[in-house]
Amino acid sequence: MTERIWRGPTLEVIGLGLAGEALSAEARHALDTAELVIGAPRHFEALERLGLTVPRRAYFPSPFSALWSLLAKHADQCIALLASGDPLFYGLGGHLRKHLDPEQLRFYPAVSSIQAAFARLGQPWQDAEVVSLHGRPLSSLRACLKVNRWYAALTDARSHPAAIAGELLAAGFTDSTVWVAEDLGTHDERVSSHPANQLSASTDTFSLLNVVIFKTLGAGGVLPEFPGIADTAFSTDSDEAGKGLLTKREVRLCALSLIEPRAADIGWDIGAGCGGIAVEWARWNAYGQVHALEYHPERLRHLSTNREHFGVVKNLHIHEGRAPEALTELPAPTVIFVGGGGRDLATILEACWSQLPSGGRLIATAVTEEARVALHSFAQAIPVPTEDEWIQLAVSRGDYLAGQRLLRPHLPVLLFKRIKP
């Protein structure tokens, strides 16, 4: 159940399609019977082009959060809200649904700009991935780029077509073509195609009302497309990449399998170091949130660098502080990974366990003998009816000695998992 902050009649949310696209009979009826119509200037201009007049109008306020105060002033009236395209596709509908129940809203969708742009190209779009960069960092695009895939991007002034082309080149997709669809449905409509390597260096300007479509072509391989990111791909607190305080790939893969990332998860990574676990966790679970806690200034800097490099800026949140004191500042978790803790590991495990709800997962690792003792003591002190998981990884990696190959062993790592009954 969402927060009920509207108790008036059902709100009618009308999507306006491309200029010249007539409203459906149902949408027209909702508009005609509304006692107040709220929209942006461009929405009312679109209605005027259709020959429709709206005498009872109001404009969306700035800041947008003031919309609820505006609605409250007219709580006894039938209100229609105007939106662009499909209100439930990266639009007004998503904002409204965060606060209102479905029965408080009625939607009238129209053709979206994304749908229209693919139609102009004559390209099926059921397999395309749509990315909204509007009001979001351009680097968030990196989190979803994979080779031989179609994408559509909703843009803003910072994520303009040339900047998107630059991201494609940086990711190794140098053979990509970028289509820019501007002012769709108006007299100024234009759809143009550009090789990514030319567009990235171009100084051409485009209408702010644009949609960018591209297919990733080229060698790629700069950004990972499957779990198990190479250690050397991370920035770490060591002169040699991948050699700093970073959970190594083999341990990372095993830990992620125990974490079992799920949509809507709220995860903690306690003692995140340079971010090996946190980054992979956030990258492969775009619909979950990961909160990484670290206190060391140098490691925090590398953690932030890795967050930006791998594009997980939307769902990886960095917190500076020490456990267990800083745990009270984090949102309630559904799953916790404890990769650090040092001498405080026993206290941290108890604090984390108390924060988990029923069904919550606790995963921890230990390398030193003291940490191993803390894990075993925790498991014995707080018994549960289900069986814990214990895994020890002893990994050896290829190296050379006197010009001859050998397998050099790394310190064995103990992994522990418990589900809260």
Side-chain angles (χ1 to χ4, degrees):
M1 182 68 68
T2 51
E3 178 188 359
R4 280 185 173 271
I5 58 177
W6 171 251
R7 300 187 182 279
T10 300
L11 293 173
E12 311 285 345
V13 187
I14 302 172
L16 302 178
L18 304 181
E21 181 182 317
L23 295 177
S24 67
E26 295 82 359
R28 177 68 183 269
H29 177 74
L31 184 68
D32 291 341
T33 56
E35 298 173 88
L36 176 69
V37 180
I38 303 174
R42 68 179 186 277
H43 295 142
F44 293 111
E45 291 170 6
L47 290 178
E48 290 171 4
R49 287 194 292 269
L50 292 173
L52 301 175
T53 58
V54 182
R56 306 169 300 278
R57 68 173 65 180
Y59 293 109
F60 285 124
S62 180
F64 193 76
S65 57
L67 173 64
W68 303 107
S69 297
L70 175 60
L71 291 172
K73 294 178 182 178
H74 303 274
D76 59 339
Q77 296 181 324
C78 293
I79 298 177
L81 299 167
L82 302 180
S84 300
D86 184 348
L88 289 168
F89 188 75
Y90 289 108
L92 174 64
H95 175 76
L96 296 174
R97 278 293 287 115
K98 291 179 181 178
H99 303 280
L100 303 177
D101 293 324
E103 60 269 19
Q104 297 176 283
L105 299 160
R106 187 179 292 111
F107 293 96
Y108 305 88
V111 173
S112 70
S113 58
I114 295 290
Q115 186 178 358
F118 274 103
R120 299 296 191 267
L121 269 60
Q123 172 61 38
W125 66 295
Q126 65 268 16
D127 295 325
E129 182 166 351
V130 179
V131 182
S132 177
L133 299 174
H134 189 79
R136 296 172 172 85
L138 177 62
S139 60
S140 62
L141 181 61
R142 303 171 195 171
C144 59
L145 290 179
K146 296 179 177 62
V147 72
N148 294 323
R149 290 284 305 276
W150 282 93
Y151 293 87
L154 298 166
T155 65
D156 60 17
R158 291 176 298 179
S159 57
H160 52 83
I164 291 174
E167 286 291 317
L168 292 175
L169 297 186
F173 301 120
T174 55
D175 298 333
S176 300
T177 297
V178 179
W179 290 267
V180 184
E182 307 170 70
D183 297 315
L184 289 169
T186 73
H187 295 299
D188 299 320
E189 177 180 309
R190 184 168 75 108
V191 179
S192 55
S193 65
H194 313 265
N197 56 0
Q198 295 180 16
L199 181 59
S200 66
S202 172
T203 57
D204 292 345
T205 58
F206 299 90
S207 168
L208 291 178
L209 295 176
N210 71 72
V211 172
V212 174
I213 294 176
F214 57 89
K215 185 178 183 181
T216 47
L217 296 174
V222 176
L223 296 172
E225 297 192 19
F226 194 80
I229 302 174
D231 297 343
T232 52
F234 290 92
S235 172
T236 69
D237 56 339
S238 170
D239 293 335
E240 188 176 353
K243 298 294 185 180
L245 192 64
L246 182 84
T247 303
K248 300 304 184 283
R249 175 166 54 184
E250 297 83 359
V251 178
R252 214 182 313 133
L253 281 168
C254 188
L256 285 169
S257 72
L258 294 176
I259 290 171
E260 296 182 80
R262 304 169 186 173
D265 263 346
I266 298 176
W268 291 0
D269 182 357
I270 308 303
C274 296
I277 290 288
V279 165
E280 285 234 38
W281 188 352
R283 187 170 177 86
W284 311 126
N285 187 20
Y287 297 103
Q289 300 295 319
V290 179
H291 295 264
L293 181 67
E294 177 57 53
Y295 72 91
H296 193 282
E298 185 71 3
R299 293 167 196 154
L300 280 166
R301 183 173 68 84
H302 290 285
L303 175 58
S304 180
T305 297
N306 289 320
R307 175 178 180 261
E308 179 78 13
H309 174 69
F310 292 103
V312 289
V313 293
K314 292 192 294 185
N315 64 331
L316 174 53
H317 312 279
I318 299 174
H319 304 267
E320 181 177 0
R322 283 181 177 270
E325 296 81 9
L327 298 182
T328 56
E329 302 173 10
L330 304 181
T334 56
V335 55
I336 300 175
F337 173 77
V338 182
R343 297 182 178 88
D344 297 323
L345 181 57
T347 304
I348 292 171
L349 289 171
E350 293 178 9
C352 288
W353 183 250
S354 68
Q355 293 295 318
L356 280 174
S358 297
R361 294 104 68 199
L362 174 64
I363 299 91
T365 61
V367 176
T368 67
E369 293 307 311
E370 289 83 356
R372 289 168 178 265
V373 169
L375 271 183
H376 285 289
S377 298
F378 168 79
Q380 293 172 354
I382 308 177
V384 293
T386 56
E387 187 70 24
D388 296 327
E389 288 190 60
W390 297 87
I391 301 173
Q392 178 162 290
L393 291 182
V395 176
S396 297
R397 287 185 175 181
D399 201 352
Y400 287 92
L401 178 64
Q404 298 187 57
R405 182 180 288 111
L406 54 76
L407 289 172
R408 192 179 298 279
H410 287 237
L411 291 172
V413 179
L414 180 64
L415 294 100
F416 165 81
K417 178 178 181 178
R418 168 175 284 187
I419 298 176
K420 194 164 187 176

